[in-house]
């Protein structure tokens, strides 16, 4: 369409005073429709995002050992969504700097499934809520020059034709 548009533009200027120049003016109509059609198809191809909103929230980003983190996931589907699994994972990771480089070690992990085989219709809103408990002997969060212990919550939605959508929030475990 762009190549035809360049040709029509050239011939329209060349035959501007000729009585049959209206053919070149009318020739722009199918070219304009081709451009509009291509733009709409590109928009529909790129706009396949399954959710209009997918918000992750915490009641509190701090909890003591023996406490719990409560998360909520608010989802509104843009199109029909068939989610295989919705899950939340609480992770504790220790990072340590030594003379041999940086090391990473996972101290704790707790995975909770919010829902399996969930289907959301277009425009449907759903809320998923789960609590992630901490052990009584859970290590506190800290940072130092030699290392750190970080707690994080990972939430994932595994969708059939899209793949996995993941989000992560950092949280703090501190004395109550």
């Amino acid at each position: 369409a762009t190549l035809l548009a360049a040709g029509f533009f050239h011939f329209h200027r060349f035959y501007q005073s000729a009585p049959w120049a209206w053919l070149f003016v009318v020739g722009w109509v199918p070219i304009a429709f081709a451009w509009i059609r291509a733009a709409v198809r590109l928009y529909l191809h790129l706009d396949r995002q399954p959710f209009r909103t997918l918000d992750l929230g915490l009641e509190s980003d701090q909890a003591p050992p023996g406490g719990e983190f409560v998360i909520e996931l608010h989802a509104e589907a843009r199109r029909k969504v068939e989610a295989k699994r919705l899950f939340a994972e609480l992770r504790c990771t220790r990072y340590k700097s030594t003379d041999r480089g940086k090391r990473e070690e996972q101290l704790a992990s707790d995975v909770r499934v919010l829902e399996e085989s969930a289907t959301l219709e277009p425009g449907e809103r759903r809320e998923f809520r789960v609590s992630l408990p901490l052990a009584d002997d859970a290590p506190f969060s800290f940072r130092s020059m030699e290392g750190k212990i970080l707690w994080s919550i990972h939430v994932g939605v595994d969708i059939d034709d899209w793949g996995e959508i993941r989000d992560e929030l950092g949280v703090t475990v501190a004395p109550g």
Side-chain angles (χ1 to χ4, degrees):
T2 305
L3 185 59
L4 286 174
F8 270 107
F9 180 72
H10 170 71
F11 286 119
H12 170 66
R13 293 193 61 206
F14 185 72
Y15 293 109
Q16 192 169 9
S17 62
W20 48 277
W22 63 273
L23 286 173
F24 294 107
V25 173
V26 173
W28 281 100
V29 173
I31 292 170
F33 281 129
W35 279 340
I36 292 169
R37 181 175 169 247
V40 168
R41 290 185 73 196
L42 179 65
Y43 173 76
L44 293 176
H45 177 72
L46 295 177
D47 191 37
R48 291 183 359 142
Q49 178 70 23
F51 296 104
R52 182 167 289 124
T53 58
L54 186 64
D55 295 328
L56 175 62
L58 289 169
E59 280 188 1
S60 175
D61 64 344
Q62 281 191 335
E68 65 182 9
F69 291 105
V70 179
I71 64 169
E72 285 186 4
L73 183 68
H74 298 270
E76 181 180 355
R78 172 177 281 170
R79 60 181 175 86
K80 184 174 181 177
V81 177
E82 295 180 8
K84 294 180 195 174
R85 185 172 79 122
L86 284 86
F87 66 93
E89 179 182 9
L90 178 64
R91 288 185 196 164
C92 177
T93 309
R94 176 177 26 201
Y95 300 92
K96 189 170 186 177
S97 298
T98 63
D99 54 347
R100 295 184 182 187
K102 296 182 179 181
R103 288 192 347 218
E104 179 179 325
E105 177 185 0
Q106 190 164 335
L107 300 177
S109 175
D110 182 20
V111 178
R112 300 288 168 114
V113 176
L114 283 75
E115 191 164 334
E116 290 201 32
S117 301
T119 301
L120 282 82
E121 295 298 324
E124 181 181 357
R125 293 177 184 225
R126 301 246 326 250
E127 292 183 13
F128 304 96
R129 186 179 176 99
V130 68
S131 62
L132 300 167
L134 289 165
D136 291 332
D137 60 345
F140 298 133
S141 302
F142 78 92
R143 293 175 185 256
S144 72
M145 295 296 285
E146 294 145 6
K148 54 190 167 188
I149 292 180
L150 298 178
W151 287 86
S152 59
I153 295 175
H154 299 261
V155 176
V157 180
D158 192 16
I159 302 171
D160 282 337
D161 62 347
W162 182 265
E164 188 172 272
I165 298 174
R166 296 183 66 85
D167 197 6
E168 175 182 345
L169 293 173
V171 293
T172 304
V173 175

